[in-house]
Amino acid sequence: GENVEQHPSTLSVQEGDSAVIKCTYSDSASNYFPWYKQELGKRPQLIIDIRSNVGEKKDQRIAVTLNKTAKHFSLHITETQPEDSAVYFCAASTAGAAGNKLTFGGGTRVLVKP
Amino acid sequence: DAGVIQSPRHEVTEMGQEVTLRCKPISGHNSLFWYRQTMMRGLELLIYFNNNVPIDDSGMPEDRFSAKMPNASFSTLKIQPSEPRDSAVYFCAYRQGGDTGELFFGEGSRLTVL
């Protein structure tokens, strides 16, 4: 089955700096790569996603890149703010006979210091 | 967002007791997922349903775990007998919009087994 590795596990940045989280996946058939943000005590929520026919996608201060050849994808947060502090999960969706299931990476705890 | 209602939100029980977690997604979805979240193992997919039919239960830890979805608006995850290592937050999530649509998570059920 699909295996998603995520690095780093923790990331501390100064407010205003950029944060980068990297993920690799194992199943070359995966075609959908979402990123979820989970604030403390809350549920994971989708912040951005990218599909395999696109190499890069941007939404305000966040951007994702995808390299299908190398089977890795990354999340970039620019001009970080304290409210960006949370745990971020990457995921890969693997097609199955009756629908796709989402496999998550281990998560990255991001702390933005004021 | 009341897209998924989970109950109970918190449960504390003693080892050996039966635990039943409930999930009520909004109507109109086509897939429903149960995830377990722990510090050590992150977000693990336990089982998912497509059109109320269990598709992949390979993530269910062992025979003590079972899940049902008798109709499109209700699902249960049962642990019998429970063990301290089952302590975790259990999330139910649904997906709309095709095989690679966004997952909408419930608020989770925090289970503590003493």
Side-chain angles (χ1 to χ4, degrees), chain A:
Chain A
E2 176 68 281
N3 183 49
V4 179
E5 299 283 342
Q6 183 171 346
H7 300 280
S9 57
T10 59
L11 181 59
S12 182
V13 297
Q14 206 66 39
E15 181 178 358
D17 289 349
S18 295
V20 180
I21 304 170
K22 298 182 179 181
C23 290
T24 60
Y25 62 99
S26 61
D27 189 344
S28 56
S30 290
N31 59 358
Y32 174 64
F33 307 91
W35 288 85
Y36 284 77
K37 176 183 180 182
Q38 185 178 28
E39 296 178 351
L40 188 62
K42 300 289 184 62
R43 58 194 167 96
Q45 290 186 284
L46 179 73
I47 54 171
I48 195 168
D49 57 14
I50 191 167
R51 299 177 191 276
S52 61
N53 58 345
V54 176
E56 184 173 353
K57 184 177 178 180
K58 190 173 182 180
D59 183 3
Q60 299 182 341
R61 295 186 297 107
I62 59 174
V64 290
T65 59
L66 171 64
N67 183 328
K68 283 213 72 182
T69 303
K71 291 191 283 189
H72 66 70
F73 55 115
S74 302
L75 176 72
H76 303 251
I77 308 173
T78 58
E79 301 172 21
T80 53
Q81 300 169 3
E83 52 264 38
D84 295 329
S85 296
V87 179
Y88 292 81
F89 293 94
C90 63
S93 184
T94 307
N100 291 5
K101 65 179 184 180
L102 213 51
T103 301
F104 284 88
T108 298
R109 185 174 300 276
V110 174
L111 174 63
V112 179
K113 295 181 286 186

Side-chain angles (χ1 to χ4, degrees), chain A residues 36 38 51 98 100-102, chain B residues 35 37 50 56 95 100 103:
Chain A
Y36 284 77
Q38 185 178 28
R51 299 177 191 276
N100 291 5
K101 65 179 184 180
L102 213 51
Chain B
Y35 281 89
Q37 186 175 33
N50 215 38
D56 186 342
R95 181 172 61 206
T100 55
L103 278 190

Side-chain angles (χ1 to χ4, degrees), chain B:
Chain B
D1 183 345
V4 185
I5 299 174
Q6 289 190 246
S7 63
R9 292 294 312 280
H10 302 273
E11 174 140 354
V12 180
T13 190
E14 293 189 346
M15 182 173 64
Q17 296 298 306
E18 177 179 297
V19 173
T20 299
L21 307 178
R22 298 173 179 80
C23 173
K24 292 185 178 181
I26 64 169
S27 60
H29 70 88
N30 53 10
S31 298
L32 186 128
F33 303 76
W34 281 99
Y35 281 89
R36 176 172 69 175
Q37 186 175 33
T38 60
M39 287 292 291
M40 292 298 295
R41 302 174 69 90
L43 272 166
E44 301 175 277
L45 178 63
L46 300 178
I47 185 171
Y48 78 100
F49 297 83
N50 215 38
N51 296 321
N52 310 337
V53 176
I55 301 301
D56 186 342
D57 65 354
S58 59
M60 296 286 261
E62 46 199 272
D63 292 345
R64 297 184 297 107
F65 285 67
S66 63
K68 294 182 180 179
M69 191 162 187
N71 59 63
S73 301
F74 186 65
S75 178
T76 59
L77 179 68
K78 186 174 290 187
I79 309 172
Q80 167 63 20
S82 58
E83 297 182 2
R85 59 192 168 124
D86 301 331
S87 298
V89 179
Y90 291 81
F91 287 102
C92 171
Y94 75 91
R95 181 172 61 206
Q96 286 181 306
D99 287 344
T100 55
E102 177 179 355
L103 278 190
F104 292 90
F105 284 82
E107 296 291 348
S109 294
R110 180 176 294 277
L111 173 65
T112 302
V113 184
L114 304 175

